[in-house]
Amino acid sequence: MRHGSIPGARGRVRPLTLLGDPVLHAPCAEVTDFGPELAGLVEDLFATMYAARGVGLAANQVGVASRVFVYDCPDDEDVRHLGHVVNPRLVETDGVVLRGPEGCLSLPGLEAGTERYDHAVVEGFTMTGEPVTVHGTGFFARCLQHECDHLDGTVYADRLTGLRGRRLARQVRRASWSR
């Protein structure tokens, strides 16, 4: 049995911010206070991500414009990666560019083939201010790139062009009409 608490067990599930909300389209602010408020946000992000059955969640997806994200995501070898990054910087992307299915908790029910590198490295800090470097390959690399994009004010739909972009835009319009 593992020692320690399960991420999100003490957090509260927050409402998700949906596409169209300005907080999703603006760069998030650097975190400067590594105190209990940040720890609570990380717990809430985990609780919300698990409740929504996601593999990653950025703070602006719950309406908080701070550079923080959490993840619980497998790579292509089905190895589980679990953690969080505060003030992340995507410092390396390389390898093969693959187009794969990508969805987002802020665009519920929608998915589109999105191009991402199959290797990514993110540097940042833990919620206690310790430096952290996260290496990802395959699906986990996609997750890291996706969450860093969120904190820069970009959603995966912004990366789509041509027919894929038009198809997703039609799906978004249909989904917003049904709300």
Side-chain angles (χ1 to χ4, degrees), residues 18-20 106-108 110 172-179:
L18 300 178
L19 184 66
S106 292
L107 288 82
L110 303 177
V172 167
R173 283 194 298 275
R174 274 189 238 126
S176 63
W177 289 336
S178 64
R179 281 189 207 142

Side-chain angles (χ1 to χ4, degrees), residues 67-149:
R67 294 189 66 79
V68 181
F69 71 78
V70 299
Y71 57 88
D72 188 345
C73 183
D75 60 24
D76 288 356
E77 314 311 304
D78 213 27
V79 174
R80 180 183 185 195
H81 300 270
L82 173 67
H84 68 279
V85 185
V86 178
N87 296 334
R89 290 183 312 115
L90 187 60
V91 295
E92 185 179 328
T93 53
D94 60 14
V96 179
V97 175
L98 299 172
R99 180 181 299 155
E102 196 161 323
C104 180
L105 297 176
S106 292
L107 288 82
L110 303 177
E111 184 179 279
T114 307
E115 293 182 349
R116 300 281 187 182
Y117 287 95
D118 70 347
H119 178 253
V121 179
V122 172
E123 292 179 349
F125 300 90
T126 67
M127 66 180 140
T128 58
E130 298 297 317
V132 65
T133 301
V134 181
H135 295 263
T137 59
F139 185 67
F140 183 46
R142 177 176 295 279
C143 175
L144 293 173
Q145 292 166 80
H146 179 105
E147 300 310 330
C148 284
D149 270 0

Side-chain angles (χ1 to χ4, degrees), residues 15-28 59-65 106-107 150 153-155 158 172 176 179:
L16 289 168
T17 304
L18 300 178
L19 184 66
D21 190 305
V23 74
L24 291 177
H25 299 285
C28 294
N60 58 347
Q61 291 184 271
V62 296
V64 178
S106 292
L107 288 82
H150 268 301
T154 301
V155 294
D158 297 333
V172 167
S176 63
R179 281 189 207 142

